[in-house]
Amino acid sequence: KIQKKVPSWYREGLLFPAALSMEQASSEATARFKASLVQGEKIADLSGGLGVDSFFFSQVFGSVVHVEPDAELQQITKHNFGVLGVSNARFVTATAEDFLRDSLDMFDLLYLDPSRRHEQKGKVFQLQDCSPNILAIKALALEKAPRILLKTAPLLDISLAARQLEQVSRIWVVASGDECREVLYLLERSPTPFENIPVHAVQIQKDGAVQDFRFTYAEEQQSVVEYALPQQYLYEPNPAILKAGAFRSFASRYGLQKLQQHTHLYTSTAFVPGLPARSFAIEAICKYERKAVMACIPSGKANITTRNFPDNADVVRKKLGLADGGDHYVFALTDMEGKKVVVVGKKI
């Protein structure tokens, strides 16, 4: 598990705790990205856990305090940091609430990744249900540091979270692979109006390169979008852009037409290179019927995606008689005329 999640930790001598701690830990890719956003003299990780985030923060801060209420887990982390050669970490066995109340230290930044496990409710994602509750400790935390970096689950509504937190100055929606992994909120003492908060839709590539689509919700509201039927090319924005809700901004920024208000796919007559999106050359536009689609895909194999469509990918695959895989991509979607159509193309 660690070889896949944190490859630089795949070595002899490290200890690993219960599987849940591994599951809740950040991946190396997302932890490295977080560390690239900040630097300073002193940071406290108020949700230390396995220490993946603390480890990468230790490389860009003069010192890091690892705060963790589970003494056994913290001893494992302390051992591992010794093996990994981290010499600027201090360990405090305490809850985030107790640490903030008792510590006399001031910090450049506090980091918090609240546990999304609730004793009664099981897996949760609303801010008030996570532990610690950032809404309850925010005021005290901002007395100890001018900035808080908060990590939340992608399921949490960004607009709701920003309005609850009140003092958000920047947001990062972080995706790697084909899914959104986390949303980061930077809190500062002076509030920024929600519509003016810079939002970064970030896609971390396999080689570690970062695609960063930056916008504000004011820009999103003001962007003018044209709609069109599928033309020569089709574009599917990366998962971070889709989660961030930059639907109009994406079209406006790159001069694309949208297929329908709720169909978050885009088209153009001339190819637009270098987009933070998957790009496809359209080969056919078919009715949602097996005979029509199979005529365009001799191999009988295709990768299926649905957007604003009544059937999911499994139902579409079964109805069209397609096997999974191959070079063709099938998009089952609703077009601007309200028709249910199937777009067949190949990836560029």
Side-chain angles (χ1 to χ4, degrees):
K1 284 183 178 178
I2 205 72
Q3 185 180 22
K4 187 174 181 182
K5 194 164 192 176
V6 192
S8 67
W9 282 22
Y10 184 66
R11 63 179 76 186
E12 293 289 336
L14 296 194
L15 303 176
F16 296 103
L20 181 61
S21 299
M22 182 83 78
E23 180 189 318
Q24 292 180 332
S26 293
S27 69
E28 178 162 337
T30 57
R32 281 188 186 277
F33 175 73
K34 283 192 282 285
S36 76
L37 302 176
V38 292
Q39 59 183 18
E41 282 303 311
K42 293 174 71 176
I43 182 173
D45 181 347
L46 301 179
S47 46
L50 188 60
V52 176
D53 287 316
S54 291
F55 173 78
F56 288 99
F57 285 136
S58 75
Q59 298 176 5
V60 293
F61 279 84
S63 65
V64 58
V65 179
H66 178 278
V67 181
E68 169 56 49
D70 184 331
E72 184 181 359
L73 175 57
Q74 189 169 64
Q75 279 301 116
I76 290 172
T77 301
K78 189 174 182 179
H79 165 85
N80 289 346
F81 275 30
V83 174
L84 294 164
V86 178
S87 58
N88 60 339
R90 182 162 64 90
F91 298 86
V92 177
T93 308
T95 63
E97 296 90 337
D98 288 348
F99 175 79
L100 290 173
R101 188 188 66 236
D102 298 339
S103 176
L104 300 177
D105 291 339
M106 304 297 285
F107 297 90
D108 297 310
L109 179 74
L110 296 175
Y111 172 69
L112 182 60
D113 174 12
S115 171
R116 292 178 281 279
R117 297 276 179 172
H118 192 282
E119 286 183 7
Q120 282 80 43
K121 298 181 181 179
K123 238 178 175 179
V124 295
F125 59 91
Q126 298 291 352
L127 293 175
Q128 61 271 21
D129 293 331
C130 296
S131 179
N133 176 358
I134 179 62
L135 302 177
I137 65 173
K138 181 188 67 170
L140 180 56
L142 284 171
E143 289 178 15
K144 302 287 184 181
R147 300 183 298 159
I148 303 168
L149 186 62
L150 172 71
K151 170 184 165 181
T152 71
L155 283 173
L156 184 61
D157 180 84
I158 293 171
S159 172
L160 172 64
R163 294 181 195 281
Q164 284 183 307
L165 292 164
E166 295 178 328
Q167 286 158 286
V168 177
S169 63
R170 196 169 289 266
I171 298 170
W172 294 268
V173 181
V174 183
S176 65
D178 58 359
E179 64 181 291
C180 187
R181 304 291 177 177
E182 58 193 46
V183 182
L184 305 170
Y185 300 83
L186 185 67
L187 281 66
E188 300 192 72
R189 290 166 179 165
S190 299
T192 300
F194 172 71
E195 61 275 8
N196 295 333
I197 297 170
V199 181
H200 299 259
V202 172
Q203 180 78 27
I204 303 174
Q205 311 280 51
K206 283 184 178 178
D207 62 359
V210 171
Q211 286 181 335
D212 185 348
F213 182 92
R214 177 179 166 174
F215 72 106
T216 65
Y217 288 110
E219 177 190 350
E220 175 65 15
Q221 291 302 314
Q222 292 160 12
S223 294
V224 177
V225 178
E226 294 179 3
Y227 296 96
L229 295 172
Q231 298 167 29
Q232 274 69 47
Y233 298 94
L234 185 76
Y235 308 93
E236 181 188 38
N238 69 41
I241 290 173
L242 294 174
K243 170 59 187 175
F247 307 128
R248 299 162 65 90
S249 309
F250 180 80
S252 177
R253 187 86 54 91
Y254 298 113
L256 306 174
Q257 286 79 48
K258 202 165 189 279
L259 295 190
Q260 200 253 13
Q261 182 182 355
H262 303 295
T263 302
H264 305 312
L265 294 167
Y266 303 79
T267 191
S268 67
T269 51
F271 180 59
V272 182
L275 300 188
R278 294 199 303 169
S279 303
F280 302 87
I282 295 176
E283 294 188 344
I285 301 158
C286 309
K287 289 182 179 179
Y288 183 35
E289 296 172 357
R290 177 183 293 213
K291 189 176 179 181
V293 174
M294 287 297 265
C296 303
I297 307 176
S299 69
K301 289 184 175 182
N303 306 278
I304 297 175
T305 298
T306 60
R307 285 279 183 266
N308 189 21
F309 201 74
D311 294 338
N312 64 29
D314 289 335
V315 173
V316 170
R317 183 178 292 108
K318 189 172 181 181
K319 181 170 179 176
L320 298 180
L322 292 168
D324 194 24
D327 296 332
H328 282 93
Y329 287 77
V330 162
F331 289 85
L333 57 90
T334 303
D335 69 16
M336 62 178 286
E337 296 175 346
K339 295 177 182 173
K340 311 302 177 191
V341 300
V342 174
V343 176
V344 179
K346 285 194 174 178
K347 198 172 181 182
I348 300 174

